Amino acid sequence: STAQIGVTGLAVMGSNLARNFARNGFTVAVHNRTAAKTRALVEEFGHEGDFVAAESAKEFVDALERPRRLIVMVKAGEPTDAVIREFAPLLEPGDVVIDGGNAHFEDTRRRERELRERGIHFVGVGISGGEEGALLGPSIMPGGSPESYDALGPMLERIAAKAADGTPCTSHVGPDGAGHFVKMVHNGIEYADMQLIAEAYHLLRKVAGYSPARIAETFRTWNRGRLDSYLIEITAEVLAHVDTATGKPFVDVVADAAEQKGTGRWTVQTAMDLGVPVSGIAEAVFARAVSGHAGLRAASRGLAGPSAQPLAGEAADAFAAKVEQALYASKIVSYTQGFHQIRAGSEEYGWGIDLGAVASLWRGGCIIRAAFLDRIRAAYDARPDLPGLLADAGFAQEIGAAQDDWRAVVAAAVAGGIPVPAFAASLSYYDALRAERLPAALTQGQRDFFGAHTYRRTDREGSFHTLWSGDRTETTA
Ligand code: 6PG
């Protein structure tokens, strides 16, 4: 047994992760259900480091130093359970099984519980950064027991992306499903970021009449400012790309039906259960759903819309700066909502997640990496009990400075008939938080009227009910 770590499941994410470990000086046992893939990996990339090719599960397990560390990189769901069923009987107490897939955190909690009974550490690890990240340095979000992190953490720190200040983009997030939970919210934020960028593009194109090439340039400019992020950078690339077959902008030849594997949806489902308003993220998930309903869209195409003319001249030129404000403000809201969800999950499951540390490990390697995350980290480091990002003086000041343009952009979208679900939901969230009084008081009155559900008062303690169908006197419930 010579390998310090093993990877089973050698599709692209698995093999790139195995290569990353090998390139960082670790001896890596590699295994795949079909051995041909294992052989192919070693043949092609054997020169990059020390690999031990294992044909069988037994060979794989025997190749690993104790306590064993083996990373499972198969499809989330039943395939992961199948691999665990195959390997668990071959393992010993103290061994660490790591699931690097996009598992649902509830599955991770269950697997952790089941394996703990056999003395085996099960570590659900969120890994972000796509194929390239897995190879060159992803952002890594490990859950599991603190002991398992002792055995695993130093290796993860070696292969993880490094933030600009050199800090590895990984740290122990919390026990059992905490890592996969945080990865799930990462993906929810990823959906929101992508949708907000898409709305910005749509507005610039339709309201201000910019070409895709001009929008690419606009995004390149933004990427040098406070919106500096991976997603803005790649958006500029996609928008600048021209389809070779037709000579048209690439974005004009791609079918406009966005797909999803489901992690964004999980974020919203879980947020519902936790009672956390993640309206920006939810709108991003729904926007993908709307785009996919081809029949419904075709049947609705003739519906009446406004007869707005695109902006021209100086007004068109000036519009980009307003959209930048709207995008930035909405982005603050998405992160506010995502971090709220992480805090709520952490409280619900007793994970003790450090929000500043989460912001820190998202600074590099992952899909949502952005300069902005340094600011979030600083906000939570300065005040770990911050009730929400908008309570941070810096963010409050920026969003306050953006809000006039934000409103103007949403108003222009509404007037022009351009859907901006995420911009609008984010702005409504901001206004709801700001409001002195919400119409929820009226909702309470309605509930009491039709269902005697009772209400509380602003001026006295207790629960009350008004005799709506009687003489309308108030009773103490
Ligand atoms: C990442 C990504 C990745 C995710 C894809 C696809 O962090 O590297 O989040 O894990 O699977 O982005 O997501 P959808 O198919 O749901 O868009």
Side-chain angles (χ1 to χ4, degrees), residues 211-224 236 239-240:
S211 68
R214 180 167 179 197
I215 302 171
E217 268 319 304
T218 306
F219 283 2
R220 283 198 182 110
T221 314
W222 291 356
N223 201 40
R224 290 193 286 273
L239 286 173

Side-chain angles (χ1 to χ4, degrees), residues 363-440:
R363 288 181 302 160
C366 65
I367 304 295
I368 65 170
R369 61 185 181 264
F372 178 70
L373 283 155
D374 252 329
R375 305 269 320 282
I376 298 183
R377 185 192 58 157
Y380 281 113
D381 283 355
R383 233 186 113 186
D385 66 338
L386 196 68
L389 269 188
L390 294 179
D392 173 75
F395 284 117
Q397 191 274 327
E398 282 182 308
I399 208 164
Q403 57 112 23
D404 280 334
D405 284 337
W406 195 8
R407 292 178 200 288
V409 166
V410 171
V414 172
I418 306 303
V420 284
F423 274 15
S426 304
L427 179 55
S428 284
Y429 174 88
Y430 173 74
D431 282 333
L433 287 193
R434 273 186 338 101
E436 186 64 41
R437 295 271 299 157
L438 286 171

